Amino acid sequence: MTTDHEAVRELIGAWAVGALMPGDERILAPHLADCDPCAAEATRLRAVVRDLDGPPVTAGPLPAERGLSLALRTRPAAPRTASHAAPYAAAVAGLQALLGELDEHGPWGTPVVHDWDVHDTIAHLLAADEPLAVRLGLRVAGEFDGVDGASWREAWAARTEEVLARERGRAPAGTVASWQAQAKALLSSPEAHDPELAGRATTLMGARLPLTEHFLVRAFEAWVHTEDIGRALDLPVPPPRTPHLWQLVRLAVRILGLALGSGTPAVALTVAGEGGEASWILGEGAEPVSAELVLDPVDFCRLMGGRVDPEVVPRGLSGDEAAATGVLTRAASLAWL
Amino acid sequence: MSVAEQSYPDTDLHQRLVYGDETALAEVYDTYGPLVHRIARRVTRSPAGAEDVAQEVFAHLWSRPYAFDARRGSLRTWLSMLAHRRAVDWVRGEERHRKAAHADDATLHTIPTPDPPPEDVVMARERSLLLHSALARLPLPQRQVVHLAYFAGRTYRQAAVELGIPEGTAKTRLRTALRKLAEALTEPPDPALADAPGERGA
């Protein structure tokens, strides 16, 4: 039998570590018997593997306990909360993990979004979490609470500017610590653990919603900004975990539904992808549906977060195109992030 | 290899690790703990050393989940390479420690460790360590395939599938890697290289 010397020779490495496929030995063995250079190489590489093995290791049983005590000391798990606060707890843990990639000399000055760098984006989140902290009695209300007739958007932007100016004078680690402490306080509040307590509606950032929903708004914003930072640092941020993703989708649908109200043509919105599929009728409920829209859950969240252009967001569309794109444009315009 | 191990979706585990779900960490430990311990024991030759290395490996994955990038390889390969590098570092650390202790002993005129192992065992350990140090310095593509074939017991075909490369490439990389290691045995060790810190993040 003539075997291709070149091809058989390439098997020697795999043979030496015992990684051949069944049947390969039948090709290799006769070749090694005939070919001195290959036989010499085989001997040499097998010897390397034996030397890698070294003298026998006393094989004891694996430790009975999982060896994870160091891991759990190094980073706490996301705190357990009621389900309405779980997406926020996860988002906070996820952003902390991402920030773990930046040490004190890390690229904190990388441009992220608007005219913010990484440090500014955390300072913004620190400001953005404040209204809920005030409402939960975790901090004292400030003038930024928009009592002087200014719109919530103006008050909110002004407060962000104020906090940004202050935090720019601090080391990034200080800003991160403040953001983290406030997030931890929100997640330790009784309202994060008791859905009944968190059922009362309150107006924050222009939206009158139950506190449970405001926790979801915090999760939404933390995730969108984490994705912003990940994009800037070329570290792909995974989407929220499936149940959390759908909590955010349902929140976004409610906000969009409120914004569209009656008077806009009825559009059937289907969100379909990771974790399932759900449909809603938006706009004038009494009208027959004038268009149908299908969006992926992550894309829909990005659209609502103002992170994808309504012109280019991947969508399935049938019916009245103007009515459907009207919904997409409205969704993108609601972004406050 | 169990079916569960084979089909573990790295992206799902990574997502849960990122978002602070400790049950994902326990699952990773249950799946890859034996591999990590096996490598750590092979290199450190010490149950206590292996336990230290394994603790460090899983602490690194948990506290720095973004250090693992699913675009650049599987979690299995990443953990395997991390365990190996940390184990080599552990042995180097022990050596330095022993030398320092020995220097102290010399000044104090005390007698060091009772019952030293026989000369040939010492030589074999040194040769093994030299090879493991050389392995830790192989280029990433070669190191990945050696880890899958040698430590994780994969065939070259399984390794090729896991790495998303042609079978022929996997075979060639294995052979090239082992030839380089063979050369490392015949060359005098370069102390500068031996002490070079391992690259971060695999």
Side-chain angles (χ1 to χ4, degrees):
Chain A
M1 185 176 77
T2 56
T3 40
D4 180 359
H5 167 78
E6 295 292 324
V8 174
R9 195 174 59 173
E10 289 305 306
L11 283 170
I12 294 175
W15 170 80
V17 289
L20 288 181
M21 296 295 296
D24 287 339
E25 193 93 40
R26 281 203 306 276
I27 305 166
L28 188 65
H31 182 74
L32 292 184
D34 281 350
C35 177
D36 288 344
C38 281
E41 180 171 327
T43 308
R44 186 164 178 241
L45 298 192
R46 212 7 102 77
V48 166
V49 173
R50 260 200 314 275
D51 284 339
L52 264 178
D53 293 345
V57 182
T58 41
L62 284 183
E65 298 278 312
R66 289 195 189 105
L68 296 175
S69 51
L70 178 65
L72 293 167
R73 272 203 309 279
T74 316
R75 177 197 184 199
R80 285 177 205 286
T81 62
S83 74
H84 65 270
Y88 180 59
V92 168
L95 179 50
Q96 273 174 251
L98 184 63
L99 296 177
E101 294 303 300
L102 288 87
D103 59 17
E104 56 181 315
H105 309 295
W108 290 94
T110 310
V112 173
V113 69
H114 311 309
D115 57 347
W116 302 336
D117 61 16
V118 181
H119 184 184
D120 293 340
T121 308
I122 305 304
H124 164 67
L125 280 173
L126 174 59
D129 284 345
E130 278 180 356
L132 182 57
V134 169
R135 205 52 54 92
L136 298 184
L138 300 171
R139 57 176 292 138
V140 192
E143 52 195 309
F144 57 87
D145 250 9
V147 281
D148 55 351
S151 79
W152 73 266
R153 277 181 191 266
E154 285 164 11
W156 202 62
R159 180 56 184 163
T160 283
E161 284 311 314
E162 208 176 359
V163 173
L164 247 58
R166 184 190 72 207
E167 294 299 318
R168 279 173 182 153
R170 299 176 74 196
T175 305
V176 171
S178 301
W179 162 74
Q180 228 165 270
Q182 183 170 253
K184 195 175 170 189
L186 289 171
L187 289 166
S188 312
S189 68
E191 287 84 353
H193 295 265
D194 182 349
E196 218 166 293
L197 200 56
R200 67 187 159 100
T202 182
T203 304
L204 283 176
M205 294 159 58
R208 184 165 177 81
L209 295 168
L211 282 169
T212 50
E213 308 271 298
H214 286 298
F215 270 101
L216 289 175
V217 173
R218 295 294 86 229
F220 194 95
E221 178 155 6
W223 175 69
V224 169
H225 286 311
T226 304
E227 241 205 349
D228 289 338
I229 295 171
R231 204 179 308 113
L233 300 177
D234 189 32
L235 292 167
V237 172
R241 299 190 51 196
T242 304
H244 300 166
L245 177 63
W246 282 89
Q247 283 172 278
L248 299 186
V249 164
R250 286 190 291 272
L251 167 79
V253 167
R254 272 192 296 276
I255 292 175
L256 180 57
L258 286 172
L260 288 168
S262 52
T264 50
V267 171
L269 169 68
T270 299
V271 178
E274 179 64 38
E277 172 174 333
S279 296
W280 296 267
I281 308 290
L282 301 170
E284 191 59 73
E287 272 182 43
V289 169
S290 55
E292 290 180 42
L293 251 180
V294 185
L295 293 172
D296 170 83
V298 176
D299 286 337
F300 177 57
C301 288
R302 287 185 184 137
L303 179 75
M304 287 291 289
R307 293 306 189 264
V308 57
D309 199 307
E311 310 269 307
V312 300
V313 66
R315 91 289 302 269
L317 194 160
S318 63
D320 181 354
E321 201 171 331
T325 47
V327 168
L328 294 176
T329 311
R330 189 80 185 97
S333 73
L334 291 171
W336 70 92
L337 311 171
Chain B
M1 164 176 52
S2 71
V3 174
E5 187 180 347
Q6 196 175 16
S7 63
Y8 244 107
D10 288 353
T11 47
D12 176 68
L13 282 172
H14 186 243
Q15 180 193 41
R16 291 164 58 206
L17 291 169
V18 160
Y19 291 117
D21 175 1
E22 77 270 41
T23 67
L25 179 64
E27 279 173 42
V28 174
Y29 187 91
D30 290 344
T31 308
Y32 300 114
L35 174 67
V36 164
H37 274 277
R38 195 160 67 238
I39 293 169
R41 278 195 190 174
R42 167 78 47 88
V43 179
T44 63
R45 304 186 168 277
S46 147
E51 177 62 21
D52 285 354
V53 168
Q55 288 269 2
E56 273 180 37
V57 164
F58 288 101
H60 189 68
L61 174 69
W62 173 245
S63 61
R64 295 279 306 281
Y66 278 98
F68 167 67
D69 185 344
R71 294 173 300 182
R72 290 191 295 174
S74 65
L75 187 54
R76 184 202 326 278
T77 325
W78 188 83
L79 286 170
S80 176
M81 292 190 298
L82 180 61
H84 186 255
R85 204 173 48 238
R86 290 288 169 100
V88 169
D89 290 347
W90 186 91
V91 179
R92 294 281 180 224
E94 284 292 295
E95 272 182 348
R96 274 194 294 277
H97 183 74
R98 211 170 43 237
K99 275 177 195 153
H102 189 74
D104 284 350
D105 286 344
T107 49
L108 292 171
H109 302 288
T110 54
I111 296 158
T113 47
D115 232 4
E119 189 76 0
D120 57 335
V121 171
V122 173
M123 294 286 288
R125 280 186 193 169
E126 270 171 21
R127 213 161 44 236
S128 172
L129 182 61
L130 179 75
L131 281 174
H132 282 288
S133 302
L135 168 55
R137 290 194 306 269
L138 285 178
L140 181 65
Q142 289 170 21
R143 205 159 13 117
Q144 285 176 324
V145 73
V146 170
H147 271 266
L148 285 171
Y150 178 65
F151 290 117
R154 297 291 182 271
T155 64
Y156 62 81
R157 179 170 297 167
Q158 290 169 322
V161 168
E162 186 155 338
L163 296 171
I165 57 174
E167 270 178 29
T169 308
K171 285 187 245 178
T172 305
R173 283 183 190 168
L174 266 178
R175 176 166 172 247
T176 310
L178 291 180
R179 285 164 65 101
K180 278 195 196 165
L181 295 186
E183 282 161 24
L185 266 188
T186 53
E187 281 165 11
D190 182 340
L193 274 178
D195 281 341
E199 85 205 57
R200 191 185 65 81

Short mmCIF file of all heavy atoms in Angstrom, two decimals, chain A residues 23-70:
data_model
loop_
_atom_site.label_atom_id
_atom_site.label_comp_id
_atom_site.label_asym_id
_atom_site.label_seq_id
_atom_site.Cartn_x
_atom_site.Cartn_y
_atom_site.Cartn_z
N GLY A 23 -9.01 4.16 13.64
CA GLY A 23 -8.71 3.82 12.26
C GLY A 23 -7.41 4.43 11.77
O GLY A 23 -6.75 3.88 10.89
N ASP A 24 -7.02 5.58 12.36
CA ASP A 24 -5.78 6.24 11.92
C ASP A 24 -4.55 5.38 12.18
O ASP A 24 -3.60 5.39 11.41
CB ASP A 24 -5.61 7.57 12.66
CG ASP A 24 -6.57 8.64 12.15
OD1 ASP A 24 -7.06 8.50 11.02
OD2 ASP A 24 -6.81 9.61 12.90
N GLU A 25 -4.61 4.65 13.30
CA GLU A 25 -3.47 3.81 13.70
C GLU A 25 -3.12 2.82 12.58
O GLU A 25 -1.95 2.53 12.34
CB GLU A 25 -3.84 3.06 14.98
CG GLU A 25 -2.68 2.39 15.68
CD GLU A 25 -2.03 3.28 16.75
OE1 GLU A 25 -2.79 3.96 17.48
OE2 GLU A 25 -0.79 3.29 16.84
N ARG A 26 -4.17 2.34 11.89
CA ARG A 26 -3.95 1.36 10.81
C ARG A 26 -3.17 1.96 9.64
O ARG A 26 -2.53 1.26 8.89
CB ARG A 26 -5.30 0.84 10.29
CG ARG A 26 -5.93 -0.22 11.17
CD ARG A 26 -6.92 -1.09 10.37
NE ARG A 26 -7.93 -0.28 9.67
CZ ARG A 26 -9.04 0.16 10.26
NH1 ARG A 26 -9.28 -0.13 11.52
NH2 ARG A 26 -9.91 0.87 9.58
N ILE A 27 -3.28 3.28 9.48
CA ILE A 27 -2.53 3.94 8.41
C ILE A 27 -1.12 4.27 8.91
O ILE A 27 -0.14 4.12 8.20
CB ILE A 27 -3.23 5.25 7.99
CG1 ILE A 27 -4.68 4.97 7.60
CG2 ILE A 27 -2.48 5.93 6.86
CD1 ILE A 27 -5.53 6.22 7.49
N LEU A 28 -1.07 4.71 10.16
CA LEU A 28 0.20 5.22 10.68
C LEU A 28 1.20 4.11 10.97
O LEU A 28 2.39 4.23 10.62
CB LEU A 28 -0.08 6.03 11.96
CG LEU A 28 1.12 6.80 12.54
CD1 LEU A 28 1.58 7.88 11.58
CD2 LEU A 28 0.78 7.40 13.89
N ALA A 29 0.73 3.04 11.62
CA ALA A 29 1.66 2.00 12.07
C ALA A 29 2.53 1.42 10.94
O ALA A 29 3.75 1.36 11.09
CB ALA A 29 0.90 0.90 12.81
N PRO A 30 1.92 1.03 9.80
CA PRO A 30 2.77 0.49 8.72
C PRO A 30 3.76 1.53 8.20
O PRO A 30 4.89 1.19 7.85
CB PRO A 30 1.76 0.13 7.62
CG PRO A 30 0.42 0.27 8.18
CD PRO A 30 0.49 1.02 9.44
N HIS A 31 3.33 2.78 8.19
CA HIS A 31 4.21 3.82 7.67
C HIS A 31 5.43 3.99 8.60
O HIS A 31 6.57 4.11 8.14
CB HIS A 31 3.47 5.14 7.53
CG HIS A 31 4.32 6.25 6.97
ND1 HIS A 31 4.66 6.31 5.63
CD2 HIS A 31 4.94 7.29 7.56
CE1 HIS A 31 5.44 7.36 5.43
NE2 HIS A 31 5.63 7.96 6.59
N LEU A 32 5.18 3.98 9.90
CA LEU A 32 6.29 4.13 10.85
C LEU A 32 7.27 2.96 10.73
O LEU A 32 8.48 3.12 10.92
CB LEU A 32 5.76 4.23 12.29
CG LEU A 32 4.96 5.49 12.62
CD1 LEU A 32 4.59 5.50 14.10
CD2 LEU A 32 5.72 6.75 12.26
N ALA A 33 6.74 1.77 10.39
CA ALA A 33 7.60 0.60 10.24
C ALA A 33 8.53 0.76 9.03
O ALA A 33 9.64 0.22 9.01
CB ALA A 33 6.75 -0.66 10.11
N ASP A 34 8.07 1.52 8.04
CA ASP A 34 8.82 1.64 6.78
C ASP A 34 9.69 2.89 6.70
O ASP A 34 10.65 2.93 5.94
CB ASP A 34 7.83 1.72 5.59
CG ASP A 34 7.31 0.34 5.24
OD1 ASP A 34 7.87 -0.62 5.78
OD2 ASP A 34 6.35 0.26 4.47
N CYS A 35 9.28 3.94 7.43
CA CYS A 35 9.89 5.24 7.19
C CYS A 35 10.72 5.65 8.40
O CYS A 35 10.15 5.99 9.45
CB CYS A 35 8.79 6.26 6.90
SG CYS A 35 9.40 7.93 6.68
N ASP A 36 12.04 5.62 8.27
CA ASP A 36 12.90 5.91 9.42
C ASP A 36 12.75 7.34 9.96
O ASP A 36 12.66 7.53 11.18
CB ASP A 36 14.37 5.65 9.05
CG ASP A 36 14.64 4.16 8.94
OD1 ASP A 36 13.80 3.38 9.44
OD2 ASP A 36 15.66 3.78 8.33
N PRO A 37 12.71 8.37 9.08
CA PRO A 37 12.57 9.73 9.63
C PRO A 37 11.28 9.89 10.44
O PRO A 37 11.29 10.48 11.53
CB PRO A 37 12.55 10.63 8.40
CG PRO A 37 13.15 9.83 7.30
CD PRO A 37 12.88 8.39 7.60
N CYS A 38 10.19 9.32 9.93
CA CYS A 38 8.92 9.44 10.66
C CYS A 38 8.99 8.65 11.97
O CYS A 38 8.48 9.11 13.01
CB CYS A 38 7.75 8.93 9.82
SG CYS A 38 7.22 10.16 8.61
N ALA A 39 9.61 7.48 11.94
CA ALA A 39 9.73 6.67 13.16
C ALA A 39 10.55 7.43 14.21
O ALA A 39 10.19 7.45 15.39
CB ALA A 39 10.38 5.33 12.84
N ALA A 40 11.60 8.09 13.75
CA ALA A 40 12.44 8.84 14.69
C ALA A 40 11.66 10.00 15.29
O ALA A 40 11.72 10.26 16.50
CB ALA A 40 13.69 9.36 13.97
N GLU A 41 10.88 10.67 14.44
CA GLU A 41 10.09 11.80 14.95
C GLU A 41 9.04 11.31 15.95
O GLU A 41 8.80 11.94 16.99
CB GLU A 41 9.41 12.55 13.81
CG GLU A 41 8.59 13.72 14.32
CD GLU A 41 8.06 14.63 13.23
OE1 GLU A 41 8.73 14.79 12.20
OE2 GLU A 41 6.96 15.18 13.43
N ALA A 42 8.42 10.18 15.61
CA ALA A 42 7.40 9.63 16.51
C ALA A 42 8.00 9.32 17.88
O ALA A 42 7.41 9.65 18.92
CB ALA A 42 6.79 8.38 15.89
N THR A 43 9.17 8.72 17.88
CA THR A 43 9.83 8.39 19.15
C THR A 43 10.11 9.67 19.95
O THR A 43 9.89 9.75 21.16
CB THR A 43 11.16 7.66 18.87
OG1 THR A 43 10.89 6.56 18.00
CG2 THR A 43 11.79 7.15 20.15
N ARG A 44 10.60 10.68 19.21
CA ARG A 44 10.99 11.93 19.85
C ARG A 44 9.75 12.64 20.45
O ARG A 44 9.80 13.10 21.60
CB ARG A 44 11.64 12.81 18.78
CG ARG A 44 12.24 14.09 19.29
CD ARG A 44 13.19 14.67 18.25
NE ARG A 44 13.74 15.93 18.70
CZ ARG A 44 13.57 17.09 18.05
NH1 ARG A 44 12.86 17.12 16.94
NH2 ARG A 44 14.10 18.20 18.53
N LEU A 45 8.65 12.68 19.69
CA LEU A 45 7.48 13.39 20.18
C LEU A 45 6.78 12.61 21.31
O LEU A 45 6.25 13.21 22.25
CB LEU A 45 6.50 13.69 19.04
CG LEU A 45 7.04 14.60 17.92
CD1 LEU A 45 5.92 15.07 17.00
CD2 LEU A 45 7.81 15.80 18.46
N ARG A 46 6.80 11.29 21.24
CA ARG A 46 6.24 10.49 22.34
C ARG A 46 7.02 10.74 23.63
O ARG A 46 6.45 10.86 24.72
CB ARG A 46 6.31 9.03 21.95
CG ARG A 46 5.32 7.96 22.37
CD ARG A 46 4.08 8.23 23.08
NE ARG A 46 2.80 8.24 22.39
CZ ARG A 46 2.10 7.19 22.02
NH1 ARG A 46 2.54 5.98 22.20
NH2 ARG A 46 0.94 7.33 21.45
N ALA A 47 8.34 10.88 23.46
CA ALA A 47 9.19 11.14 24.63
C ALA A 47 8.85 12.50 25.24
O ALA A 47 8.83 12.66 26.47
CB ALA A 47 10.66 11.09 24.24
N VAL A 48 8.54 13.47 24.37
CA VAL A 48 8.16 14.79 24.88
C VAL A 48 6.89 14.68 25.72
O VAL A 48 6.79 15.25 26.81
CB VAL A 48 7.94 15.78 23.71
CG1 VAL A 48 7.21 17.02 24.18
CG2 VAL A 48 9.26 16.16 23.08
N VAL A 49 5.93 13.91 25.21
CA VAL A 49 4.67 13.76 25.95
C VAL A 49 4.93 13.07 27.30
O VAL A 49 4.39 13.47 28.33
CB VAL A 49 3.63 12.99 25.12
CG1 VAL A 49 2.39 12.67 25.94
CG2 VAL A 49 3.25 13.81 23.89
N ARG A 50 5.82 12.04 27.30
CA ARG A 50 6.14 11.37 28.57
C ARG A 50 6.80 12.35 29.53
O ARG A 50 6.53 12.34 30.73
CB ARG A 50 7.08 10.19 28.30
CG ARG A 50 6.37 8.84 28.28
CD ARG A 50 7.36 7.69 28.52
NE ARG A 50 8.57 7.83 27.71
CZ ARG A 50 8.67 7.40 26.45
NH1 ARG A 50 7.66 6.81 25.85
NH2 ARG A 50 9.81 7.55 25.79
N ASP A 51 7.67 13.20 28.99
CA ASP A 51 8.33 14.19 29.85
C ASP A 51 7.35 15.24 30.37
O ASP A 51 7.49 15.74 31.49
CB ASP A 51 9.47 14.87 29.09
CG ASP A 51 10.70 13.96 28.98
OD1 ASP A 51 10.80 13.02 29.80
OD2 ASP A 51 11.53 14.18 28.08
N LEU A 52 6.36 15.57 29.53
CA LEU A 52 5.31 16.49 30.00
C LEU A 52 4.55 15.85 31.16
O LEU A 52 4.23 16.52 32.15
CB LEU A 52 4.31 16.76 28.88
CG LEU A 52 4.45 18.01 28.01
CD1 LEU A 52 3.35 18.00 26.96
CD2 LEU A 52 4.38 19.30 28.81
N ASP A 53 4.25 14.55 31.02
CA ASP A 53 3.55 13.83 32.10
C ASP A 53 4.35 13.91 33.39
O ASP A 53 3.79 14.08 34.47
CB ASP A 53 3.36 12.36 31.74
CG ASP A 53 2.41 12.15 30.58
OD1 ASP A 53 1.67 13.11 30.25
OD2 ASP A 53 2.41 11.05 30.00
N GLY A 54 5.68 13.77 33.26
CA GLY A 54 6.55 13.79 34.44
C GLY A 54 6.37 12.53 35.26
O GLY A 54 5.64 11.61 34.87
N PRO A 55 7.00 12.49 36.44
CA PRO A 55 6.84 11.33 37.31
C PRO A 55 5.38 11.22 37.74
O PRO A 55 4.67 12.21 37.74
CB PRO A 55 7.73 11.62 38.51
CG PRO A 55 8.47 12.87 38.20
CD PRO A 55 7.85 13.52 37.02
N PRO A 56 4.94 10.01 38.11
CA PRO A 56 3.52 9.84 38.46
C PRO A 56 3.08 10.82 39.54
O PRO A 56 3.85 11.10 40.47
CB PRO A 56 3.45 8.40 38.97
CG PRO A 56 4.70 7.74 38.49
CD PRO A 56 5.72 8.80 38.26
N VAL A 57 1.89 11.33 39.38
CA VAL A 57 1.33 12.25 40.37
C VAL A 57 0.45 11.44 41.29
O VAL A 57 -0.31 10.59 40.83
CB VAL A 57 0.47 13.33 39.66
CG1 VAL A 57 -0.08 14.32 40.67
CG2 VAL A 57 1.27 14.04 38.60
N THR A 58 0.57 11.67 42.58
CA THR A 58 -0.31 10.96 43.51
C THR A 58 -1.73 11.49 43.28
O THR A 58 -2.02 12.65 43.57
CB THR A 58 0.10 11.21 44.97
OG1 THR A 58 0.47 12.59 45.08
CG2 THR A 58 1.28 10.33 45.36
N ALA A 59 -2.56 10.64 42.70
CA ALA A 59 -3.91 11.08 42.36
C ALA A 59 -4.82 10.90 43.55
O ALA A 59 -5.20 9.80 43.89
CB ALA A 59 -4.43 10.28 41.17
N GLY A 60 -5.16 11.99 44.19
CA GLY A 60 -6.11 11.93 45.29
C GLY A 60 -7.49 12.28 44.75
O GLY A 60 -7.62 12.67 43.60
N PRO A 61 -8.52 12.11 45.56
CA PRO A 61 -9.85 12.51 45.11
C PRO A 61 -9.94 14.03 45.01
O PRO A 61 -9.16 14.74 45.65
CB PRO A 61 -10.77 11.98 46.21
CG PRO A 61 -9.91 11.93 47.43
CD PRO A 61 -8.51 11.65 46.95
N LEU A 62 -10.87 14.52 44.23
CA LEU A 62 -11.11 15.96 44.17
C LEU A 62 -11.64 16.40 45.53
O LEU A 62 -12.27 15.61 46.23
CB LEU A 62 -12.14 16.28 43.10
CG LEU A 62 -11.67 16.24 41.65
CD1 LEU A 62 -12.81 16.65 40.73
CD2 LEU A 62 -10.48 17.15 41.44
N PRO A 63 -11.40 17.66 45.88
CA PRO A 63 -11.97 18.14 47.14
C PRO A 63 -13.49 17.94 47.14
O PRO A 63 -14.14 18.10 46.09
CB PRO A 63 -11.63 19.63 47.13
CG PRO A 63 -10.52 19.78 46.15
CD PRO A 63 -10.66 18.68 45.15
N ALA A 64 -14.01 17.55 48.28
CA ALA A 64 -15.44 17.25 48.36
C ALA A 64 -16.28 18.52 48.15
O ALA A 64 -17.34 18.47 47.55
CB ALA A 64 -15.77 16.64 49.71
N GLU A 65 -15.78 19.63 48.64
CA GLU A 65 -16.51 20.89 48.50
C GLU A 65 -16.07 21.58 47.22
O GLU A 65 -14.91 21.48 46.83
CB GLU A 65 -16.16 21.82 49.67
CG GLU A 65 -16.54 21.28 51.03
CD GLU A 65 -17.99 21.54 51.33
OE1 GLU A 65 -18.42 22.69 51.13
OE2 GLU A 65 -18.69 20.59 51.72
N ARG A 66 -16.98 22.31 46.60
CA ARG A 66 -16.57 23.14 45.48
C ARG A 66 -15.60 24.21 45.98
O ARG A 66 -15.86 24.86 46.99
CB ARG A 66 -17.78 23.87 44.88
CG ARG A 66 -18.71 22.96 44.14
CD ARG A 66 -19.64 23.84 43.30
NE ARG A 66 -20.72 23.05 42.73
CZ ARG A 66 -21.97 23.08 43.17
NH1 ARG A 66 -22.29 23.85 44.19
NH2 ARG A 66 -22.89 22.34 42.62
N GLY A 67 -14.50 24.36 45.27
CA GLY A 67 -13.51 25.35 45.70
C GLY A 67 -13.84 26.73 45.18
O GLY A 67 -13.16 27.25 44.30
N LEU A 68 -14.89 27.32 45.71
CA LEU A 68 -15.33 28.61 45.17
C LEU A 68 -15.33 29.71 46.22
O LEU A 68 -15.85 30.80 45.98
CB LEU A 68 -16.74 28.46 44.57
CG LEU A 68 -16.83 27.53 43.35
CD1 LEU A 68 -18.27 27.36 42.90
CD2 LEU A 68 -15.97 28.05 42.21
N SER A 69 -14.73 29.41 47.40
CA SER A 69 -14.80 30.42 48.46
C SER A 69 -14.04 31.68 48.08
O SER A 69 -14.51 32.79 48.31
CB SER A 69 -14.28 29.84 49.77
OG SER A 69 -13.01 29.25 49.56
N LEU A 70 -12.89 31.50 47.43
CA LEU A 70 -12.11 32.69 47.02
C LEU A 70 -12.92 33.51 46.02
O LEU A 70 -13.00 34.73 46.12
CB LEU A 70 -10.77 32.26 46.41
CG LEU A 70 -9.90 33.41 45.91
CD1 LEU A 70 -9.45 34.30 47.06
CD2 LEU A 70 -8.67 32.88 45.16
#
